[in-house]
Structure formats: structure tokens, C-alpha cells
Amino acid sequence: MTNNSKRIDVIRLDENMTIKPTVHDSLQWLSPLEKPFHIAGFAWLGQDKRYRRLPTSPTLSLPHAVDELANCTAGGQIRFRTNSSRLSLRAKLRGPSDMYHMPATGQSGFDCYLGEPGDQHYLSTARFDPASTEYEAELYNWGEKREFCVTLNFPLYQGVEEVWIGVEPDAAIGSAPSYADDKPIVIYGTSITQGGCATRPGMAYSNILSRSIPLEFMNLGFSGNGKGEPEVARTIAEIPNPAMLILDYEANSGTIEDISTTLPQFIPIYRERHPDVPIVVVSKIRFAGDRYYEEMRILHEGRKKVQEETVMRLRQRGDVNVHFVDGSNLLGEGAEECTVDGVHPTDLGFLRMATSLEPVIRELLAQTKN
């Protein structure tokens, strides 16, 4: 193992694990809440000890739907290094898989990437009964010791009450490499931000970006409920020391008048705590219906204009760290063919989104360092 790794000679089964081992199980089971594991994507984990994207007891009362959706674990990651010849996990979920347009593997599954930051490659996805709320899944079995840095991506549209990592009894477990910077990138938005409808967790665009930009990403997409409320803005602003905030909530923003109110409020609220952090406002991706429904096209054009003008106005007032990205260009040609239902991207759509956003993010991060 490498220098930043810690060997565990005796790994004991945690007595608090309610998911019981299978008969003749030869693995030892570890809680990723313990060192040397690192869990990313949950800003309040240290405080609440729950896999949840917003605080359990927020300072301000959050909209009920947002509070519930915060239990979905989109963007969460378990990071560690091991030389175990086998790797399995056990998960206890808040409910079964029940989405008609999104695979159970994306809604409720974990997937596994191997490799160092910037050089991670997909290996496997948990296999399980979609009707079950508990499962055990083998992620690999080499038959020999091979050392890898492992990243496990949490489910996108399901809550996780428990997760346990199974390794060989004599395996060494070490820390994953540190990020290039300890400042996270925070993304606030809609069902698309949350990862609907990726076939597996690693294909949500925040997770794709995390494999090319070695920083922690915090996914705060709330399906159908990314509406830009002031109390949500203040709660998000509690996340300390961010590298960047991306606002991608137009699709849930309501009328042109609604976003004309929420966006000019959201940014100043965030600025109270983070006066110089880059803020990137991303307008909605192109939906299939934009081509055929005039009222849909007019709504999008009006809301996009509000976002552009809000950013321009703030920049003219001296906030040079707020930026606008035209989301209608993110999917490129044939945008509607990159969706499941004319709205939510497929894996291809998410890959195109991430590929389009990556150079923008990199440039702004570089400017911040300079």
C-alpha cells in the first residue's frame, strides 16, 4: 500500500449494522463513516451523521418537498484505497425502486470506479432486486490482491439509511488521495441536476465532472423543486469555503415573473456569506417540446433573458464573479435524441453536458487562483 494508506489487521463487524451477513460470509464489513474512508457530497454529514444533502434540522424552515428530496443521496461518494481481492457492499434504502423512466440502477444503485483522481474508470454497478429495500452486491472479485483507489457513487433518487463495505479479512484499507483543493463545487438545480434519468449514479453530470476535475462536488438538485426560494439560498450559503456555485434551476423556476423575483434575490443572499466566489448561472438545456410548442419556447426564451440580464446587471454593478452560460447549447446537435422523455438526459446527454461545462469551470477556477 502507498504512504497515505493505513493497514487494518483486524476488521470487526460493527454491532450497529442491522443488515445481517449472509450465511458462510467470509468478508469483513466496514462502515464508511469511519476512517480511513472518505465520504464526499454531504456537507452536513459530520454534524448529522446521515447520508443527507441538507441539514436534518435546518436553521430556516425549508419547503417540505425540498426537505424530503434532501434524503436522496445524489452526488454522494465513498472514496478509499484497498488491495482486497474482493469488494462488496450492503445497502439499506428508504424505499424500493419505482420510477418508470429511470433504471433501478440509477435510482437506487451504487456504481464503482477505479483509479486515481483524473484517471478513474468505470468497472461495475450493484445488481439487486428493484423491489427490495435491502441488498448485497459484489462489485468485483479478482481472486488475487490488487491495489486500487476506489470511488463508489451513491444512488441518485433514493435515500440510503445504511451502507457497508465488504473486504477480505486480511485486506489493507487506506485513504483516497486528497483533492486538489478542499473547496467544493456546489450545484443547485432540478431533477436534471439530481441525475434524472441516468442509468447509473456515475453518469449524473456532477459525478462525471468530479472524475475530470479533482474537487468535491455537492449535488443539490431537487426534482421538480429547484425553485430558488430564499430559505434554500440561505441554507446552501451555509456550506463553508466553496470553490464555485452553479445555479441550474430554470426548468423549475415557474413563470418569467417568478424567476425575475427569485434569481435577483438568490445571488445577493449567497453573496452575504460568499462575496467573491464564482457563481455560474446556467439556463435550461433544450427540450424536445421547445421545437413544437410556441408557448414553451416563449417561456424558455423569456426566462433565459431574465438570467442573462440579471448577470449583466450584477456585473455592471461590480460583481465580476457572476457568469452566464447558455444551457440550450450544452447538448449540441440532436439534443432531443440525448433525452429519455424529451426533457431528462440519457447518459449521452449528461456526458455532453459535463463535457460542455468542464472548460468553463476550469477557466473560472484558474482565474480564481490567479
Side-chain angles (χ1 to χ4, degrees), residues 26 58 71 199 221 298 325:
S26 63
N71 291 311
T199 61
I298 292 173
V325 172

Side-chain angles (χ1 to χ4, degrees), residues 249 253 255-265 302 306 310 313:
Y249 78 94
S253 64
T255 65
I256 296 172
E257 291 73 22
D258 289 334
I259 196 169
S260 297
T261 299
T262 60
L263 186 61
Q265 289 180 341
V306 168
T310 299
R313 187 163 55 249

Side-chain angles (χ1 to χ4, degrees), residues 95-369:
S97 303
D98 56 3
M99 297 178 71
Y100 80 93
H101 62 340
M102 183 171 178
T105 46
Q107 181 185 359
S108 304
F110 286 77
D111 63 8
C112 175
Y113 281 75
L114 302 179
E116 306 299 315
D119 189 31
Q120 296 166 291
H121 299 279
Y122 168 73
L123 175 64
S124 60
T125 304
R127 297 184 180 186
F128 57 95
D129 177 359
S132 177
T133 58
E134 295 187 11
Y135 63 79
E136 177 181 335
E138 184 174 81
L139 296 173
Y140 64 72
N141 187 346
W142 310 124
E144 62 181 3
K145 281 187 168 51
R146 300 168 65 185
E147 182 183 333
F148 288 100
C149 182
V150 179
T151 301
L152 305 180
N153 293 294
F154 275 79
L156 299 173
Y157 269 73
Q158 187 56 266
V160 175
E161 295 184 357
E162 295 183 43
V163 59
W164 299 85
I165 308 300
V167 296
E168 290 288 345
D170 61 346
I173 305 292
S175 301
S178 299
Y179 291 116
D181 196 316
D182 61 359
K183 298 180 178 181
I185 293 178
V186 181
I187 308 179
Y188 169 70
T190 68
S191 56
I192 294 173
T193 311
Q194 188 174 330
C197 292
T199 61
R200 53 185 179 79
M203 293 309 294
Y205 82 81
S206 63
N207 284 335
I208 296 173
L209 286 167
S210 77
R211 295 193 291 275
S212 56
I213 299 174
L215 296 177
E216 181 175 10
F217 279 74
M218 293 186 175
N219 185 319
L220 298 180
F222 301 107
S223 181
N225 287 276
K227 299 179 181 181
E229 300 96 335
E231 56 270 36
V232 175
R234 293 192 185 279
T235 302
I236 293 173
E238 293 177 8
I239 298 173
N241 204 26
M244 182 179 298
L245 172 67
I246 298 174
L247 297 178
D248 178 19
Y249 78 94
E250 181 201 326
N252 288 167
S253 64
T255 65
I256 296 172
E257 291 73 22
D258 289 334
I259 196 169
S260 297
T261 299
T262 60
L263 186 61
Q265 289 180 341
F266 198 114
I267 295 174
I269 288 171
Y270 196 78
R271 280 283 181 248
E272 291 173 9
R273 290 205 178 196
H274 308 289
D276 301 316
V277 169
I279 297 176
V280 181
V281 178
V282 182
S283 65
K284 179 182 74 65
I285 62 171
R286 195 182 315 150
F287 292 170
D290 293 345
R291 182 189 299 272
Y292 299 103
Y293 296 99
E294 184 178 8
E295 65 275 19
M296 183 181 292
R297 178 181 56 79
I298 292 173
L299 176 62
H300 167 52
E301 290 178 352
R303 295 189 305 201
K304 184 171 74 169
K305 183 178 179 182
V306 168
Q307 293 170 91
E308 286 183 288
E309 291 181 347
T310 299
V311 169
M312 184 182 302
R313 187 163 55 249
L314 289 169
R315 291 181 65 85
Q316 289 172 345
R317 294 174 181 173
D319 189 349
V320 296
N321 291 320
V322 61
H323 309 270
F324 175 76
V325 172
D326 187 349
S328 61
N329 298 321
L330 294 181
L331 297 183
E333 292 299 320
E336 65 275 9
E337 302 293 359
C338 299
T339 70
V340 171
D341 52 7
V343 173
H344 297 91
T346 60
D347 292 355
L348 174 60
F350 282 124
L351 182 61
R352 287 189 179 183
M353 287 184 70
T355 301
S356 297
L357 287 171
E358 181 184 346
V360 176
I361 295 171
R362 285 189 180 278
E363 181 179 353
L364 293 177
L365 291 174
Q367 291 176 8
T368 302
K369 290 182 178 180

